[in-house]
Amino acid sequence: QVQLVESGGGSVQAGGSLRLSCAASKYTYSRYCMGWFRQAPGKEREGVATITSDGTTTYADSVKTRFTISQDNAKNTLYLQMNSLKPEDTAMYYCAIKPRTGLCVDHRLYNYWGQGTQVTVSS
């Protein structure tokens, strides 16, 4: 029902910044979770940051103080501002959405996913 398209990935040096965007097709969910997840080669997918329809956010410990998740409801767009990037942040980044809230941090609970955008941080 919902299509998601990520953009903004690329290659940056350690300490640099990137802003990821996720454009969603129109949806009518009154309550939802949206999130950014990442997966590095050979590793499991992990949650990076989530935000609810009420604006409640969560962050992985590894990105707290460096990343900021936000949303533009008028544009149905999700953002991830990434500052002070580290080589450990290198991964494919995915945005996702699920109706209702409940537990937002578990990627297994999400219904719709974007195609992913690659982030590569070099030292």
Side-chain angles (χ1 to χ4, degrees):
Q1 183 178 13
V2 181
Q3 297 186 41
L4 305 169
V5 180
E6 300 101 330
S7 62
S11 298
V12 298
Q13 293 182 325
S17 298
L18 285 173
R19 181 161 124 130
L20 306 184
S21 299
C22 174
S25 61
K26 189 68 175 181
Y27 55 89
T28 58
Y29 305 146
S30 58
R31 293 174 58 83
Y32 58 83
C33 297
M34 297 186 73
W36 288 97
F37 303 84
R38 66 187 182 187
Q39 188 167 20
K43 300 185 66 176
E44 293 186 358
R45 188 167 300 185
E46 64 174 345
V48 176
T50 68
I51 188 167
T52 72
S53 46
D54 294 328
T56 302
T57 59
T58 68
Y59 296 93
D61 288 340
S62 60
V63 307
K64 285 181 178 177
T65 75
R66 300 189 297 119
F67 292 8
T68 302
I69 188 171
S70 62
Q71 61 187 334
D72 185 333
N73 292 329
K75 297 182 180 295
N76 283 352
T77 302
L78 181 72
Y79 302 98
L80 184 68
Q81 179 66 48
M82 304 186 295
N83 298 325
S84 302
L85 283 162
K86 304 175 180 179
E88 308 92 270
D89 296 317
T90 295
M92 184 74 76
Y93 283 70
Y94 301 88
C95 66
I97 185 171
K98 73 178 187 72
R100 305 175 180 86
T101 52
L103 186 64
C104 295
V105 299
D106 189 346
H107 70 272
R108 296 169 294 181
L109 302 178
Y110 281 72
N111 303 85
Y112 302 101
W113 292 83
Q115 83 288 351
T117 185
Q118 179 68 40
V119 172
T120 302
V121 185
S122 60
S123 59

